[in-house]
Amino acid sequence: MLIKICGLTNPDTAAMAAKSGADYIGLLFSACSPRQISLDKAREISKAVRDAGSEVVAVFVDESLEELEQIAVALDLKIIQLHGGKVRAFCDVLAPKYQIIYVADGKSLPASLNPNKDFIMYDNKSSTYPEIDPKNVQTCGKSGDDRKFRYFVAGNLSTDNIQEVIKTTQPNGVDLSSSVEISKGIKDIKKIREFIKLTRPERYGRFGGRFVPELLIKPLQELETAFKEVVLTKPFQAEFIDILKNYTGRPTALTEVKNFAAALGDIRVFLKREDLLHTGAHKINNAVGQCLLAKKMGKIRIIAETGAGQHGLATATACAMFGLECVVYMGKIDVARQAPNVAKMRLLGAKVVSVASGSATLKDAVNEALRDWAESYETSHYCLGSALGPYPFPQMVAHFHAVIGKEAHEQFLAQAGSQPDMVVACVGGGSNAIGIFQGFMHDPKISLIGVEAGGKGTGLGNNAARFSEGFPGVLHGSYTYLLQTSGGQIVDTYSISAGLDYPAVGPEHSDLYLTDRAKYYSVTDKETLEAFQLLIKTEGIIPALESSHALAYVKKIASSLKPGTKVLINLSGRGDKDLPQLLEGELKHVTSI
C-alpha cells in the first residue's frame, strides 16, 4: 500500500512523515490552495524528503505548461500529479517525461497515459466515501487496450475510516491531507504516524512487512487472523494475565539498587526484575501467550528457536504445562555455551536440534525453524522468540511483552514519585526493550535507550551493532536494520552474549531509531563483564550477560548525567545460564571470575 501525504509546508515535518513511512510527499504550487508553497521552500522540502528516503510529487492545478516544466526541472521531479482540466490538457507533452498521477473526472483518459507506470486517483468530495469496484477501474485510453491502472483514493480519509475504505476500494495507494492538520498546511506528525500505522498495520513506519516464500503466506495469514480474533479479545487476555500472575510470577519487582548507583555517581538506578520470573527471564511472557494461542488454534506441536536458551526454556516450559510437543532449534555454538538451559529443555521433554550450518548461532536456528514450519504448519505453530520476523510476529511478541512496561510505569510512579528520566534495555532482536519501552513511549521527556552488543569492537564480524555498522535490508521475513556487506550478504556476528548475537533487529526498533524516538548505543564485552561483576558485588544480583549490556551503558555514561537522574534498567534475565561459560576460564583476560 503506497501512502502519499499531501500539502506539507514544513521541511522538518515532511522529513518526519517520510521517515514514518510516507512514500510520497505532495507539494502544492497553485494559488487556489491555502497550502501553496514557493519554489525555494519546495527545494528545502524536496531535499529533506529525499534525504529521508522518500520522493516528492508536485501537484498541479492551474499552472501554465511553462510554469509546470520550470518547477519540474528545478526540483528534478520524477512524478507529478495533474488535477484539473487546464493541466490535464498537457498530458501528451508530459507523459513521456514523468510518471503521472492523474485525477480521474469520469471522462475518458488521455491515450498518452501508460498503465505500466502511471496512476489514476479517485478524489472523493462527499462526506461518505463511495465504493469503488476494483473490477471496474478505468483502463488504458487507447482503443482495444484493456489494461487497468493502479489507483489512489483521496478525499475525506481519516484514522476513523481508512481501514474500511481500504477494505472496500482495495486501492494501490491512499492520499491524505486535511484530516491530519492542526491548521491549513500545518500537519500533526502524531496524526500522520497514527494514520500510517492503520493503513499499513504490518509495518512500523518503513520497516517490517512480510517478505517470505509462498509456502509461509498461508500460515502467516492464519496467524494474523487468530491474533486479531482470539488474542485481542477480553476472554483471552483475562486467561493470559491469570497465567502470568499465578504461574510465571507477575508482577515482577522494581528494585532500587542504591549500592550499584553509589558506585557510579550521584544518580538513582532502578531494575525491573524480569530475572525473578519463572524460568529466569522475560521470555516466558511471550512463550505463554503464543502457546496459549496455539492451543486454541488446535495446534499440537510447537517449534521454537533460541540463542541464549531462555526462549527455548520458556517455550519448553509452556509446552509442558499445555501438553504440547516441543522442538527447539539452537546453533551448535550456543548449545555448547548455554549447556544449563539445554539440559533444562531436555528435562522438560523438548527435542533440542543442534544447527551446525552457517555461523551455528541464532540466525541459523531461525532459518531451520522457518523451514520446519513451512513443512508442518497444519499441525505446528512457530513460537518466534523475539519482536522480529514477518508480520504479525513483531506486533504479537510486543503485545505479549507490553506487560513489562505497563507494570514498570505504575511501579516507578508509586515508588519514586515520578517517572524515570531514562529507560535502558539491551537489544538483540529487541523483545525485552520493546516490552518496557511501551510503558513510556508516549512521553517524549523520557529517553529510551537500547544497548547493542559491541563485542570485540568496531568492524563487521566483531560485534552485533546493527545501528552503528548496519543498514536496512531484509532478513527472516522483515525489512529492518541488519549487518550485511555492500553486496547484501549477511555477515557473521560476534558477542559474548548468545542472546544478542544476531545480525538483525526488530522492525519497531528500526522505526524508533529512524524517527529519533529512541537512541541506540553499543558496549564491548569488556565493559559488559565489568558491569556484570559490579552488580553482583554491590547488590548480590547475578544478571544475564544480555542484561549486563544495559548495566554497562549506564555505568559508562553515569558521570555525564545530572545529579539525581532516575534511570530504569530492564534486567531481562538472570545469569545462571552464563556461569559455566565464564567459569571455564576462556574469558579470564577480561574478568577476574
Side-chain angles (χ1 to χ4, degrees):
M1 179 67 63
L2 297 170
I3 295 175
K4 176 172 172 280
I5 309 295
C6 202
L8 282 98
T9 58
N10 178 277
D12 292 337
T13 305
M16 184 57 72
K19 290 178 179 179
S20 297
D23 301 284
Y24 301 110
I25 300 298
L27 307 180
L28 301 175
F29 296 93
S30 173
C32 70
S33 172
R35 303 172 185 88
Q36 180 189 24
I37 58 173
S38 67
L39 184 56
D40 285 341
K41 179 62 70 174
R43 285 192 179 97
E44 285 185 60
I45 295 175
S46 295
K47 183 179 186 309
V49 168
R50 287 168 177 153
D51 285 349
S54 294
E55 192 50 81
V56 292
V57 178
V59 180
F60 298 112
V61 179
D62 54 14
E63 292 80 359
S64 68
L65 180 60
E66 183 181 3
E67 289 174 314
L68 192 156
E69 292 199 299
Q70 179 186 4
I71 291 169
V73 171
L75 298 181
D76 191 24
L77 294 176
K78 297 179 177 61
I79 181 168
I80 60 176
Q81 181 174 318
L82 303 181
H83 194 300
K86 181 177 180 180
V87 293
R88 282 199 285 258
F90 306 145
C91 251
D92 289 344
V93 175
L94 299 171
K97 303 177 183 178
Y98 306 101
Q99 186 179 14
I100 293 175
I101 300 175
Y102 186 90
V103 181
D105 58 3
K107 300 177 183 177
S108 60
L109 300 179
S112 55
L113 293 179
N114 183 349
N116 292 331
K117 73 176 181 67
D118 300 322
F119 292 92
I120 298 299
M121 178 177 287
Y122 294 103
D123 191 4
N124 173 58
K125 301 297 183 184
S126 65
S127 58
T128 303
Y129 212 92
E131 181 172 330
I132 297 171
D133 185 352
K135 297 178 182 178
N136 296 323
V137 174
Q138 284 179 276
T139 58
C140 182
K142 294 180 181 178
S143 176
D145 193 336
D146 59 358
R147 290 176 296 164
K148 292 182 179 179
F149 281 89
R150 295 169 297 167
Y151 57 99
F152 281 81
V153 292
N156 293 294
L157 297 179
S158 69
T159 54
D160 294 330
N161 68 5
I162 184 59
Q163 291 186 326
E164 183 59 32
V165 169
I166 289 173
K167 181 179 178 181
T168 302
T169 64
Q170 299 178 36
N172 302 97
V174 297
D175 185 314
L176 178 71
S177 182
S178 59
S179 72
V180 292
E181 288 185 330
I182 301 168
S183 59
K184 295 290 185 183
I186 307 301
K187 299 291 195 284
D188 185 332
I189 192 61
K190 289 183 179 178
K191 290 182 179 179
I192 288 175
R193 284 182 62 80
E194 183 183 0
F195 179 88
I196 291 174
K197 185 176 181 179
L198 290 169
T199 303
R200 285 198 295 233
E202 74 279 7
R203 288 180 175 255
Y204 294 99
R206 293 181 171 279
F207 302 99
R210 185 186 282 166
F211 300 90
V212 295
E214 189 66 30
L215 279 172
L216 288 175
I217 294 297
K218 183 177 179 180
L220 285 167
Q221 290 175 335
E222 179 188 62
L223 185 59
E224 177 187 1
T225 298
F227 179 53
K228 293 175 179 177
E229 296 181 358
V230 179
V231 172
L232 301 181
T233 63
K234 289 182 178 180
F236 183 96
Q237 289 302 306
E239 188 174 356
F240 174 58
I241 294 300
D242 181 71
I243 296 171
L244 293 185
K245 177 183 177 181
N246 296 305
Y247 181 73
T248 70
R250 301 211 73 94
T252 56
L254 181 71
T255 303
E256 182 170 8
V257 282
K258 296 181 180 180
N259 298 329
F260 179 80
L264 304 183
D266 189 14
I267 63 173
R268 298 179 69 183
V269 179
F270 298 77
L271 305 181
K272 181 57 175 164
R273 300 293 304 281
E274 297 300 286
D275 61 309
L276 297 179
L277 280 173
H278 180 41
T279 71
H282 73 291
K283 294 291 188 180
I284 192 70
N285 303 320
N286 173 58
V288 164
Q290 288 203 49
C291 289
L292 178 61
L293 174 61
K295 187 86 171 178
K296 294 184 182 300
M297 292 172 69
K299 307 298 182 182
I300 60 173
R301 179 175 177 266
I302 301 296
I303 304 160
E305 89 298 325
T306 194
Q310 287 300 147
H311 173 60
L313 174 59
T315 304
T317 300
C319 286
M321 181 181 65
F322 288 120
L324 297 165
E325 181 185 348
C326 182
V327 178
V328 179
Y329 289 92
M330 194 171 187
K332 183 178 179 180
I333 290 174
D334 294 335
V335 169
R337 62 180 170 176
Q338 298 296 319
N341 276 340
V342 174
K344 291 176 186 177
M345 284 184 265
R346 287 172 173 156
L347 185 63
L348 286 160
K351 177 183 178 182
V352 180
V353 179
S354 178
V355 179
S357 59
S359 61
T361 55
L362 183 57
K363 168 180 67 71
D364 311 289
V366 175
N367 288 338
E368 292 305 317
L370 285 169
R371 289 190 187 100
D372 186 333
W373 193 38
E375 296 173 355
S376 63
Y377 66 83
E378 292 184 353
T379 58
S380 301
H381 168 69
Y382 177 22
C383 183
L384 202 158
S386 196
L388 44 81
Y391 175 75
F393 280 113
Q395 287 81 349
M396 185 164 62
V397 174
H399 176 83
F400 289 135
H401 283 308
V403 64
I404 304 171
K406 181 177 184 297
E407 286 179 8
H409 186 274
E410 295 171 356
Q411 291 170 324
F412 209 99
L413 182 60
Q415 196 165 323
S418 67
Q419 290 302 335
D421 299 299
M422 179 185 298
V423 179
V424 186
C426 66
V427 177
S431 60
N432 91 90
I434 282 301
I436 199 163
F437 285 178
Q438 286 183 80
F440 304 92
M441 214 176 287
H442 63 284
D443 188 344
K445 297 189 296 297
I446 300 174
S447 298
L448 305 179
I449 306 294
V451 187
E452 300 184 289
K456 301 171 185 176
T458 59
L460 289 178
N462 291 326
N463 56 56
R466 289 68 50 99
F467 291 117
S468 60
E469 304 219 12
F471 57 94
V474 174
L475 180 66
H476 294 144
S478 179
Y479 179 69
T480 188
Y481 273 82
L482 56 92
L483 291 167
Q484 56 184 318
T485 66
S486 58
Q489 293 299 308
I490 306 303
V491 300
D492 290 343
T493 54
Y494 166 78
S495 172
I496 188 176
S497 166
L500 304 187
D501 196 1
Y502 182 69
V505 65
E508 188 169 6
H509 285 292
S510 291
D511 179 55
L512 292 173
Y513 169 77
L514 189 64
T515 58
D516 209 32
R517 178 59 189 96
K519 302 285 189 181
Y520 295 84
Y521 303 95
S522 63
V523 294
T524 64
D525 287 355
K526 183 177 185 298
E527 292 167 326
T528 298
L529 285 162
E530 289 172 353
F532 170 84
Q533 289 180 275
L534 183 61
L535 186 68
I536 295 171
K537 290 177 179 178
T538 57
E539 299 290 349
I541 298 171
I542 303 175
L545 287 176
E546 290 79 9
S547 311
S548 298
H549 283 70
L551 297 168
Y553 175 75
V554 175
K555 181 176 181 292
K556 187 175 184 177
I557 66 161
S559 62
S560 67
L561 299 176
K562 292 180 180 179
T565 297
K566 295 185 287 294
V567 180
L568 171 60
I569 300 173
N570 196 21
L571 199 72
S572 57
R574 59 177 176 252
D576 308 34
K577 65 185 180 60
D578 300 311
L579 293 180
Q581 173 191 358
L582 295 173
L583 293 172
E584 280 179 1
E586 60 177 299
L587 302 166
K588 288 236 175 160
H589 60 292
V590 289
T591 179
S592 61
I593 290 180

